[in-house]
Amino acid sequence: MKLDANMLKLVVNQAVFNQTIGSKVSEWDKEKALIAPPKISLEQCSSQSTAQYKADLLNGDIGVDLTGGLGVDSYFFSKKFKDFTHNEINPNLSNVVKHNFDLLGIKNVKFTNVEAEKFELEASTDFVYLDPARRDAVNRKMVSLKDCLPNLLEIKDLILAKAKILMVKYSPMLDIKDSILLLKTVDDVLILSEKNEVKELVFILKKEPNSEPLITCVNLLSGQDAFAFHYSQESQVNLAFREPEGFLYEPNASIMKAGAFKSIAEAYQVSKIAANSHLYTSIECIFDFPGRIFKIEHVIDFDKKQIKKFLKSDKANVAVRNFPYSTEEIKKQLGLKDGGDQYIFFSENHKKKKIVLICNKIQNTLK
């Protein structure tokens, strides 16, 4: 039997879904009869680890996901509420999710197909979740709060008039400080990374928030502790600089995105090697530092001949921080390929001198 183009597309989409859903949502992998959603729904959905982390912060009687999509977030949220609503404007996608939830044994979820802006919340709603669309009509990625649909700035007050907590997921590209100023009622900000890659910015809004949002940096699946701070705290830290010796530290991606460059140094008693390098050092090893840790073997000047004396092979892991040459330019100059067990950082010290740090990685939990 020859399949037409549309049928072939559905078959291929289902095959891709079957192959990939387990890596994104392991709890769903055991159920082999799930129906695949449109490709973009799978691409944009939360992973199990990010959805589970968010859900573990919650509990209550009534919860609503106004932009339900594939339903990964709704699936985990529903376990924390007596009654939950998955609202998805696309009725076909909504039917797919309902079918899948039935197979997965989720019985406390109601399915609706209303525009998020027009959804009628109950006065006793405990929790509302939003994952605004970040693409326009021609599929271009949008970053600004005002460009996302629904526009949270237009509906947040209406939601918070009835709901105790409003949680919103945004793109990692969003400017955190600007968004806090625009949203005004932010109580917490979560920066969620997986395998040292920022996946989600999550803003938690309340009608009467704390006077200043708490910024929590989380690197999921790393075994490392979350790091939390306030921006007022960051601005008040008197930063210490020192020459690199002993050990070198690179904060994880969530901390870098948050801009906790001073707070992390104070919390873990490490010194920055330069104002704009975002690399830190200490004589004794701080094994629980939330990021990558390296043993510094040599600190040398930026000199091609001198560097080559310390190379073990033609492979090395090259990184540049606050340096005039790119990683690719340096690898070309030195004839290096990616790989090996040497880590070489090209940066500058606090005296603005170009330096090269040749290191070995301490095998902590962050890859």
Side-chain angles (χ1 to χ4, degrees):
M1 180 180 69
K2 185 176 181 180
L3 299 177
D4 64 26
N6 288 333
M7 182 61 73
L8 182 60
K9 185 177 180 180
L10 289 173
V11 171
V12 171
N13 187 56
Q14 184 68 51
V16 171
F17 176 81
N18 292 343
Q19 291 172 357
T20 59
I21 190 61
S23 62
K24 203 153 194 178
V25 190
S26 60
E27 281 196 23
W28 291 11
D29 196 34
K30 61 181 181 292
E31 179 51 65
K32 302 303 181 183
L34 300 180
I35 296 177
K39 180 182 177 183
I40 193 169
S41 298
L42 180 60
E43 291 175 347
Q44 294 183 347
C45 74
S46 297
S47 67
Q48 175 164 326
S49 61
T50 58
Q52 184 73 70
Y53 186 90
K54 290 176 288 190
D56 285 345
L57 302 174
L58 305 165
N59 63 76
D61 292 324
I62 300 175
V64 180
D65 184 344
L66 289 179
T67 51
L70 177 56
V72 176
D73 286 311
S74 289
Y75 172 82
F76 288 98
F77 290 149
S78 70
K79 299 181 180 184
K80 302 293 182 174
F81 294 89
K82 182 178 178 181
D83 297 299
F84 199 84
T85 298
H86 174 280
N87 181 67
E88 169 52 51
I89 193 172
N90 182 337
N92 292 328
L93 178 56
S94 181
N95 287 333
V96 167
V97 177
K98 184 179 186 306
H99 167 85
N100 290 344
F101 275 29
D102 286 343
L103 292 177
L104 293 164
I106 302 299
K107 304 299 184 183
N108 65 326
V109 175
K110 180 171 67 175
F111 295 87
T112 57
N113 311 120
V114 182
E115 290 183 14
E117 298 90 335
K118 297 179 180 179
F119 190 95
E120 290 289 336
L121 291 170
E122 296 182 37
S124 57
T125 301
D126 294 297
F127 169 73
V128 172
Y129 182 71
L130 272 173
D131 181 3
R134 296 183 287 277
R135 294 178 186 269
D136 64 9
V138 292
N139 209 34
R140 292 177 302 188
K141 288 185 178 181
M142 311 300 285
V143 177
S144 168
L145 284 179
K146 297 178 181 179
D147 290 331
C148 295
L149 294 174
N151 182 349
L152 182 61
L153 299 176
E154 295 177 348
I155 63 173
K156 69 180 184 68
D157 291 337
L158 294 174
I159 294 173
L160 288 172
K162 294 185 176 180
K164 297 176 183 177
I165 298 174
L166 170 59
M167 179 184 287
V168 190
K169 168 186 168 182
Y170 276 118
S171 162
M173 297 176 65
L174 202 70
D175 186 286
I176 297 172
K177 291 183 179 179
D178 285 351
S179 300
I180 290 172
L181 291 174
L182 284 170
L183 294 172
K184 296 180 181 178
T185 55
V186 179
D187 194 65
D188 292 277
V189 179
L190 310 176
I191 306 172
L192 304 182
S193 294
E194 282 182 5
K195 299 178 181 180
N196 208 31
E197 179 182 355
V198 180
K199 296 295 186 179
E200 299 180 12
L201 300 184
V202 180
F203 294 80
I204 299 175
L205 287 73
K206 296 181 180 178
K207 190 174 183 179
E208 296 182 2
N210 292 319
S211 58
E212 182 181 5
L214 182 68
I215 315 299
T216 303
C217 308
V218 185
N219 191 32
L220 297 164
L221 309 178
S222 70
Q224 297 178 349
D225 292 338
F227 179 73
F229 74 108
H230 294 97
Y231 280 123
S232 61
Q233 168 192 352
E234 174 72 11
S235 64
Q236 294 168 7
V237 174
N238 292 318
L239 200 61
F241 299 98
R242 68 178 298 157
E243 295 293 327
E245 58 178 324
F247 295 86
L248 187 74
Y249 307 89
E250 182 182 50
N252 68 43
S254 288
I255 293 169
M256 298 286 274
K257 172 63 183 179
F261 305 126
K262 297 179 181 179
S263 301
I264 194 68
E266 181 179 61
Y268 285 89
Q269 293 297 291
V270 293
S271 302
K272 231 182 176 192
I273 69 169
N276 298 315
S277 70
H278 309 321
L279 293 172
Y280 303 79
T281 189
S282 69
I283 296 176
E284 301 294 329
C285 187
I286 312 298
F287 286 102
D288 61 346
F289 184 89
R292 297 197 298 173
I293 306 174
F294 304 88
K295 176 72 174 71
I296 300 173
E297 301 295 340
H298 307 282
V299 181
I300 58 178
D301 293 339
F302 177 57
D303 177 87
K304 183 176 177 180
K305 291 183 178 179
Q306 189 177 4
I307 295 169
K308 286 194 170 185
K309 291 179 181 178
F310 293 99
L311 295 177
K312 295 179 180 179
S313 70
D314 63 348
K315 291 185 177 182
N317 303 278
V318 175
V320 297
R321 300 290 183 268
N322 190 31
F323 205 74
Y325 301 110
S326 70
T327 300
E328 292 304 316
E329 288 173 327
I330 289 173
K331 288 194 294 185
K332 186 176 181 180
Q333 288 181 29
L334 297 172
L336 288 172
K337 302 174 185 176
D338 290 327
D341 58 4
Q342 276 192 314
Y343 289 77
I344 307 177
F345 289 85
F346 293 77
S347 189
E348 65 175 32
N349 62 14
H350 61 283
K351 299 176 183 177
K352 298 190 178 300
K353 179 182 178 182
K354 295 180 182 62
I355 57 173
V356 180
L357 298 96
I358 299 176
C359 308
N360 291 320
K361 187 180 176 186
I362 302 294
Q363 293 301 319
N364 65 339
T365 52
L366 178 56
K367 302 300 181 185

